[in-house]
Amino acid sequence: MAVERTLSILKPDATERNLTGQINARFEAAGLRIVAQKRLQLTDAQAGLFYQEHSARPFYKDLCGFMSSGPIVAQVLEGENAILANRDIMGATNPANAAAGTIRKDFAVSIDANSVHGSDSPAAAAREISFFFSTLELVG
Ligand code: CMP
């Protein structure tokens, strides 16, 4: 198994409900290390850039509107197979389909307000980490 890094976002519905500590505790309990973290609010244009791969999808406008509607916490998680491990911890994108014990099952409100984002591949992780963080900000 390889040690990987993945980009995680605690979305505006999570910061609004003061859930950042509870969600971070789940990552740490599962063996993932938070090696970088910052709280910020994206503009609609910045959210559009981050999610540009979805720009042709019908949900893109609402997604960008939601992701810029309040503070987010962007973070880098590090650990064995971190990309897939984080996707297991998060659960399915649509909370209606998320397995018991996952973050989205326990905290998500809807498919847009689904509390967390995680990179879905090594290429996406590299792009998404560099979107938010410089090399100097990654402290393992
Ligand atoms: P996320 O993992 O951040 O990646 C893109 C986001 O788009 C996704 O989580 C959802 O919050 C949102 N979204 C809204 N509708 C859909 C959909 N039909 N399929 C996938 N993602 C959707």
Side-chain angles (χ1 to χ4, degrees):
M1 289 205 290
V3 173
E4 290 177 334
R5 287 175 170 174
T6 189
L7 191 279
S8 166
I9 300 176
L10 312 186
K11 295 190 178 187
D13 68 284
T15 60
E16 204 272 330
R17 289 176 291 151
N18 217 17
L19 294 172
T20 62
Q22 287 185 64
I23 294 174
N24 280 350
R26 293 195 179 207
F27 297 141
E28 293 183 340
L32 296 177
R33 184 174 296 274
I34 301 166
V35 299
Q37 180 166 253
K38 63 174 89 168
R39 184 176 175 108
L40 69 156
Q41 184 160 358
L42 295 172
T43 64
D44 189 78
Q46 288 168 335
L49 205 54
F50 181 78
Y51 280 115
Q52 60 188 350
E53 72 186 278
H54 296 306
S55 60
R57 308 287 295 275
F59 57 82
Y60 181 66
K61 191 169 178 294
D62 285 349
L63 171 63
C64 296
F66 173 67
M67 289 301 290
S68 58
S69 68
I72 62 167
V73 176
Q75 51 192 193
V76 179
L77 306 179
E78 181 183 89
E80 294 285 341
N81 290 325
I83 297 167
L84 272 181
N86 184 36
R87 293 182 73 79
D88 283 346
I89 298 164
M90 291 191 299
T93 303
N94 186 342
N97 303 326
T102 61
I103 290 170
R104 284 166 170 161
K105 178 67 175 182
D106 292 344
F107 298 124
V109 177
S110 66
I111 193 166
D112 276 319
N114 64 352
S115 303
V116 281
H117 165 83
S119 308
D120 64 5
S121 68
R127 182 184 78 79
E128 294 178 357
I129 289 170
S130 68
F131 184 90
F132 285 104
F133 296 98
S134 76
T135 307
L136 286 177
E137 293 175 303
L138 304 171
V139 185

